[in-house]
Amino acid sequence: MNVGFIHLGCSKNLVDTEMTIGLFKNNEYKIVNNPEDADILVINTCGFILSAQEEAINTILEMAEYKKKRCKYLIVMGCLVQRFKEELEKEIPEVDLWIKYDSYNTIWEQIEEVIKPKETKQRELNFLDRTITTGENFAYLRIAEGCSNFCTYCAIPKIRGKFISRTMEDVIEEAKKFAKEGYQELIVIAQDTTKYGIDIYGKPRLAELLQEICKIDGIKWVRFLYSYPETITDELIEVVKKEDKICKYFDIPIQHISDSVLKRMNRKSNSESIRKVIKKLREEIPNVVIRTTVMVGFPGETKEDFEELYNFVKETKFDRLGAFSYSKEEGTPAEKLPNQIHSNTKKNRYNKIMSLQQQIAIEKQKELIGKKLEVLIETKTFDGKYYVGRSYMDVPDIDGLIYIEMVDEVLEGKFVECEVQYANNYDLIAKLVKKEVIVEH
């Protein structure tokens, strides 16, 4: 039978999708991209915030329509199912199988009960059997699962469980496999990468892990995402500073800068520690790129709290910044906090922050005009006029792109040197300086 997959949610969830694709492939199912060609449709859902839940439900209902045609089985898995399985079973009977995240250890047994395959070769999800869906240049390397921070607004510990690191040996084995398969960039991810190893080794070992990954031949870029400010150690800063393969890029989700708001969020950092780590990164690592996310409209956020955040963003001038409005999530402590903020106030505060960041972003972009950058070429535009690539400053699907004037030679998958000619709010246009850069790290 043919199997089609629909992935929703974050890159950490994408790893589960890729492992599930690998499981079906290893049991000799054919993977198809068009849902009209699928006998089985599998949807991996996100259930983090209300908008993601709505998107997931709409997708399920849309895919259920294909059961009127060729599709015989509709399977839904992931975070939404973990949170609302019982309600979903009652409301959407078209789904043949709901798979909660905490039952992935028996995923194939559950599938067998529904589709009754003739022969089984593999029964469990396996990192080493993933089918990478992100193209030929980069892959995500998930080093831990779950979260033990228990921020009051967040349902992830309830959905994904406590923070559990993979062993260093297991991670390195997967990284070496990716290198052999030709992936040049590895993106290390977890809900909180900087806590890697604490649960199994008694201390954070992200710095050591990154050093080991950098020793692998064939890997040219290593980047890591989601570093909480309180666990960015001097050792980690030193490793990022010295290792040429590591992209000088820190994604630090601060959420807020007001101490009173941070305390109600149950964040482990405070205004002083956040300012200190940002200052240190910029002093220690030349050309470091710092990305953050902030939340507006958290319960009890006063006008003064928001102004403090606004002024902090204005002064700090983050290279990259994303904002979102607080969403009341079922089962979280913040749901019951007093002084919930009106939706119009949240929207206004969000718009103010994003308008400010847009001004900062264009200033940052203009500073790059005339500078030379090493760029990984990934594809080209439909009209064939430009190559499309990224520099160390650009995380796939999150940050901007670099458009480089086309030449006759095939450069996809290669590192080139280019000079920035033009900048808009998020993307750059550049010209080729060297057609291929031999990256020796």
Side-chain angles (χ1 to χ4, degrees):
M1 288 188 284
N2 295 343
V3 188
F5 280 81
I6 297 91
H7 167 76
L8 303 172
C10 65
S11 56
K12 296 176 287 297
N13 204 37
L14 178 62
V15 173
D16 292 330
T17 299
E18 292 176 337
M19 285 194 288
T20 309
I21 293 173
L23 186 59
F24 273 95
K25 285 181 70 175
N26 287 341
N27 283 302
E28 299 184 352
Y29 287 79
K30 182 180 179 181
I31 309 301
V32 295
N33 293 322
N34 189 338
E36 292 185 350
D37 299 330
D39 302 296
I40 304 169
L41 282 170
V42 182
I43 306 170
N44 192 6
T45 61
C46 176
F48 181 44
I49 57 176
L50 182 60
S51 59
Q53 295 163 23
E54 292 173 346
E55 180 189 21
I57 291 170
N58 289 335
T59 302
I60 295 167
L61 295 174
E62 181 184 350
M63 291 302 107
E65 289 297 306
Y66 287 97
K67 293 193 73 179
K68 298 175 182 177
K69 302 175 184 178
R70 173 169 176 163
C71 179
K72 299 179 180 67
Y73 305 104
L74 180 58
I75 298 172
V76 183
M77 57 189 287
C79 296
L80 183 77
V81 186
Q82 182 68 26
R83 293 188 73 178
F84 305 112
K85 182 174 182 286
E86 290 73 20
E87 297 96 316
L88 292 166
E89 285 177 326
K90 294 176 184 177
E91 297 296 327
I92 313 179
E94 295 91 340
V95 175
D96 299 284
L97 176 62
W98 302 92
I99 306 176
K100 296 175 69 172
Y101 169 75
D102 62 12
S103 68
Y104 282 4
N105 61 323
T106 61
I107 189 168
W108 197 253
E109 285 87 341
Q110 296 176 68
I111 292 170
E112 280 183 318
E113 289 181 9
V114 174
I115 65 175
K116 298 179 174 59
K118 293 180 181 179
E119 181 181 355
T120 300
K121 295 186 176 182
Q122 180 184 336
R123 305 187 71 86
E124 296 180 354
L125 297 180
N126 191 319
F127 283 102
L128 298 180
D129 291 321
R130 283 165 58 192
T131 296
I132 302 304
T133 60
T134 51
E136 299 178 350
N137 295 311
F138 76 91
Y140 291 106
L141 188 62
R142 195 172 76 193
I143 61 173
E145 189 47 88
C147 185
S148 298
N149 289 330
F150 297 102
C151 300
T152 56
Y153 54 82
C154 184
I156 288 176
K158 183 178 179 180
I159 299 170
R160 291 278 188 171
K162 66 180 182 180
F163 187 86
I164 301 174
S165 302
R166 295 171 63 189
T167 65
M168 191 172 296
E169 293 77 12
D170 190 34
V171 174
I172 294 300
E173 183 181 4
E174 187 182 15
K176 288 179 177 178
K177 177 178 181 288
F178 287 144
K180 289 179 181 178
E181 293 172 350
Y183 294 97
Q184 302 181 87
E185 177 182 5
L186 294 186
I187 305 178
V188 175
I189 55 171
Q191 194 61 39
D192 181 356
T193 55
T194 37
K195 285 189 172 64
Y196 171 75
I198 290 178
D199 54 317
I200 54 178
Y201 300 116
K203 64 177 183 178
R205 293 187 67 179
L206 177 62
E208 184 180 343
L209 176 65
L210 293 174
Q211 284 181 305
E212 292 301 313
I213 294 173
C214 287
K215 294 176 184 177
I216 300 172
D217 291 336
I219 301 300
K220 297 177 181 179
W221 277 354
V222 179
R223 64 173 84 238
F224 58 99
L225 302 181
Y226 320 121
S227 313
Y228 282 52
E230 66 272 10
T231 41
I232 296 176
T233 63
D234 290 345
E235 180 188 12
L236 178 61
I237 294 172
E238 191 65 19
V239 166
V240 174
K241 179 180 178 180
K242 289 187 174 181
E243 288 286 356
D244 291 335
K245 286 187 179 183
I246 300 178
C247 296
K248 315 310 179 196
Y249 185 112
F250 279 78
D251 188 329
I252 309 172
I254 63 168
Q255 306 306 351
H256 218 282
I257 198 63
S258 163
D259 282 337
S260 63
V261 175
L262 289 168
K263 185 176 180 179
R264 288 196 301 278
M265 289 179 169
N266 194 36
R267 300 288 288 184
K268 308 305 185 291
S269 53
N270 55 37
S271 175
E272 182 182 358
S273 65
I274 291 169
R275 294 173 190 273
K276 184 177 179 181
V277 74
I278 292 170
K279 183 174 184 290
K280 183 158 192 172
L281 288 172
R282 287 179 165 168
E283 288 176 348
E284 293 290 328
I285 305 175
N287 299 318
V288 68
V289 170
I290 301 178
R291 176 183 175 83
T292 195
T293 51
V294 297
M295 181 191 295
V296 298
F298 188 76
E301 182 191 55
T302 64
K303 180 181 178 181
E304 290 74 23
D305 291 328
F306 175 73
E307 287 177 352
E308 184 179 355
L309 175 63
Y310 183 92
N311 290 329
F312 174 70
V313 171
K314 186 176 182 179
E315 295 162 6
T316 306
K317 296 185 184 297
F318 287 99
D319 302 277
R320 311 278 193 266
L321 181 142
F324 58 100
S325 299
Y326 166 73
S327 172
K328 185 190 290 188
E329 290 305 310
E330 183 180 329
T332 62
E335 178 190 20
K336 299 178 181 179
L337 286 177
N339 302 314
Q340 298 281 333
I341 306 299
H342 193 277
S343 59
N344 288 341
T345 302
K346 289 192 283 189
K347 185 177 181 180
N348 288 336
R349 290 176 181 178
Y350 169 84
N351 288 338
K352 285 182 181 179
I353 285 287
M354 291 311 297
S355 177
L356 170 62
Q357 182 58 27
Q358 192 171 48
Q359 297 172 33
I360 295 170
I362 192 62
E363 290 175 15
K364 293 278 187 179
Q365 291 285 87
K366 286 181 177 179
E367 291 173 2
L368 296 171
I369 295 175
K371 293 190 176 182
K372 295 177 181 178
L373 296 172
E374 180 185 85
V375 176
L376 172 59
I377 303 292
E378 294 190 297
T379 186
K380 55 188 176 184
T381 55
F382 289 113
D383 60 12
K385 293 183 179 180
Y386 294 94
Y387 286 115
V388 184
R390 297 180 290 108
S391 73
Y392 80 95
M393 299 182 288
D394 308 308
V395 173
D397 302 322
I398 296 176
D399 299 321
L401 297 168
I402 300 175
Y403 294 86
I404 303 168
E405 295 174 6
M406 197 76 158
V407 296
D408 294 335
E409 297 177 48
V410 177
L411 294 179
E412 286 98 323
K414 295 182 179 179
F415 286 84
V416 302
E417 185 179 48
C418 67
E419 183 178 307
V420 178
Q421 304 291 298
Y422 174 79
N424 62 22
N425 291 16
Y426 301 105
D427 299 326
L428 301 172
I429 294 178
K431 69 176 182 180
L432 210 57
V433 176
K434 290 183 182 179
K435 291 182 179 178
E436 185 171 3
V437 178
I438 306 301
V439 184
E440 294 181 353
H441 293 306

